[in-house]
Amino acid sequence: MMADKIRRTKIRQILDEGKSETELCVKGWVRTKRESKNVAFVALNDGSTINNLQLVLDVPKTDESTLRKITTGASISAKGKLAESQGAGQSVELLVENIEVLGEAHPDEYPLQPKRHSLEFLREIAHLRPRTNTFGGVFRVRHQMAYALHTFFHEKGFLYLHTPILTASDAEGAGETFKVTTLDLNNVPKTEDGQVDYKQDFFEKETNLTVSGQLEGELAALAVSEIYTFGPTFRAENSNTTRHLAEFWMVEPEMAFYDLDDSMDLAEEMLKYMVKHALENCKDDLAFLNKRLQDEEKQKPQNQRSEMSLLERLEFVAENDFERVSYTDAIEILKRSKPNQKKKFQFLIEEWGADLQSEHERFLVEKHFKKPVILYNYPKDIKAFYMRQNDDGKTVAAMDVLFPGIGEIVGGSQREERGAKLEERMQEMDIPKEELSWYLDTRKFGTVPHSGYGLGFERMIQFVTGMGNIRDVIPFPRTPGNCEF
Ligand code: 4AD
Ligand code: MG
């Protein structure tokens, strides 16, 4: 009876501060069991840490059928006394006095076994993969990164602004939106000239899921000075790459009275803050992920292995200034580069104005500068309508932060705050003024220079965890043809 009153303690707390002789109750999932005639060792994990607690069971004193049900994946509740561990690998262990199986996981059916499974296989069982060390680690790091972001912006006095998911605008103008409708798709109402009659739709106009919270973010920044949004965004781009998702999370700060330089400073400070936070607060998970990546690298041919380990890369980014290079200078470097001269790039750089592909971005970061790079002042024709036009008539005050192994991780700009210039650009790009009258109003009433950017949250998690595929840093990835779970 007494034992029932002990409250459950999480394994992380026990391993951090547990003292011998304390009476404890633990709950979690079995990772492994080793059994001999007299004693059984169970490695228990409850997700609070990557480390397991070792449970020691007196076999003759344990109910036989209970013992049989303690298999990999089963959930259990155990009570007993903490003791200093005799064995190597852990400082304390739990001498079990009472154990209960809460839920069995039949060995013939449970797909996770105590061995390394491929990431491809685990993607097919994304509902169970959080129970592996790798995914537990990735999701704990992901949580810490979200926490770090909120702390960073809160301490600077930014307001966390919730921008809408449902919207009628396509902020990036790339036409990659997911439509939202309640119309009966088998019987779509049409207007007299044969177009879909959106007047009869739920919002009485054409609507989609947001691709960015920026435009709404600007409205708020032009009232309270500094805001950030952090939420899911949706893009129906049909790109099956290791860096694209159809649903991804974006952090978008927007700052009144910031020019492009101020915005680059903020982005660099934020990224370093996040990396430092991970190094300080995710030690065990990063040590595991570092080792995991080292093992993976060993499978690659020597010349394709990265020069730095995950931890070295994180330390390097936290400690070193990013390189800031104009688009024009970058194009010169790329034109003269070996892979361009030797036609090794898939897309050769011929002239100023070319859009940069990830192969070019990664060349600049990984081969040329060997550090994160911020490219700025891009040709206006490859960038969005809202970016501030520079005096040269050719470029806009845009900036992209490029990271090793990732390529573009942040995209942003100074915004065109001059109403006439903005309207002119919208006209050139065929963006109807009427649809964005609310946006144009901010330029009419008390406009100010302002800037902002968007960080792809999953790409940042890829960088911090060393995971090569973006599908493995979000719990339930959405990609073309894949919306399971
Ligand atoms: O460069 P993007 O398209 O910029 C914007 O959306 C701006 N409205 C941001 C702003 O200024 N407030 O996207 C920003 C970042 C990219 O640098 C990339 O890291 C990430 O979002 N991103 C994606 N991440 C995963 N999957 C996708 N399909 C992504 N598209 C962009
Ligand atoms: Mg971009």
Side-chain angles (χ1 to χ4, degrees), residues 172 212 214 235 237 245 250 252 408-409 411 415 453-454 456:
E172 294 304 303
S212 159
Q214 176 193 325
R235 294 191 186 178
E237 47 193 336
L245 290 166
M250 193 160 33
E252 294 181 276
E408 180 191 338
I409 198 161
R415 317 306 188 194
Y453 60 81

Side-chain angles (χ1 to χ4, degrees), residues 8 10-11 28-29 31 45-51 130 136 140:
R8 171 211 181 192
K10 289 212 210 164
I11 291 173
W29 294 266
R31 282 294 166 81
N45 190 282
D46 66 3
S48 59
T49 157
I50 196 158
N51 299 309
R140 277 185 296 272

Side-chain angles (χ1 to χ4, degrees), residues 244-405:
H244 287 90
L245 290 166
E247 174 177 301
F248 66 98
W249 285 63
M250 193 160 33
V251 187
E252 294 181 276
E254 193 68 36
M255 302 76 67
F257 316 111
Y258 273 51
D259 66 14
L260 190 67
D261 280 326
D262 298 328
S263 186
M264 290 196 247
D265 290 344
L266 184 73
E268 182 167 345
E269 188 186 342
M270 175 196 76
L271 292 166
K272 287 177 170 166
Y273 181 95
M274 292 175 80
V275 169
K276 280 186 198 147
H277 182 90
L279 285 167
E280 281 161 21
N281 297 280
C282 309
K283 286 200 172 79
D284 292 346
D285 288 316
L286 287 184
F288 174 85
L289 292 165
N290 188 59
K291 167 94 177 29
R292 186 190 164 279
L293 201 62
Q294 271 168 348
D295 293 346
E296 208 178 83
E297 289 278 306
K298 278 185 207 144
Q299 314 290 321
K300 293 185 190 164
Q302 196 91 36
N303 64 347
Q304 281 173 32
R305 290 183 201 164
S306 61
E307 287 164 30
M308 289 188 220
S309 73
L310 174 63
L311 288 172
E312 284 166 344
R313 212 152 53 216
L314 296 178
E315 303 272 2
F316 183 87
V317 166
E319 302 304 331
N320 289 282
D321 286 345
F322 298 0
E323 193 74 34
R324 300 187 186 188
V325 194
S326 73
Y327 166 90
T328 302
D329 288 347
I331 284 290
E332 283 310 311
I333 293 168
L334 287 168
K335 262 207 260 181
R336 279 186 262 116
S337 72
K338 242 198 211 161
N340 204 57
Q341 305 274 345
K342 297 200 161 168
K343 305 206 182 327
K344 289 270 153 62
F345 281 143
Q346 195 186 340
F347 297 89
L348 294 178
I349 298 288
E350 314 265 6
E351 58 192 66
W352 193 92
D355 203 355
L356 299 186
Q357 307 295 326
S358 108
E359 57 179 348
H360 309 126
E361 296 171 344
R362 293 185 57 176
F363 172 84
L364 291 169
V365 171
E366 291 160 30
K367 298 281 186 287
H368 191 83
F369 292 107
K370 295 185 188 288
K371 49 158 68 173
V373 173
I374 309 184
L375 286 190
Y376 60 89
N377 289 349
Y378 281 77
K380 65 177 182 186
D381 290 336
I382 57 171
K383 289 291 181 186
F385 74 96
Y386 52 71
M387 297 190 178
R388 193 176 197 278
Q389 297 172 57
N390 289 324
D391 293 338
D392 61 13
K394 292 184 342 193
T395 60
V396 285
M399 65 104 171
D400 278 4
V401 182
L402 315 179
F403 258 32

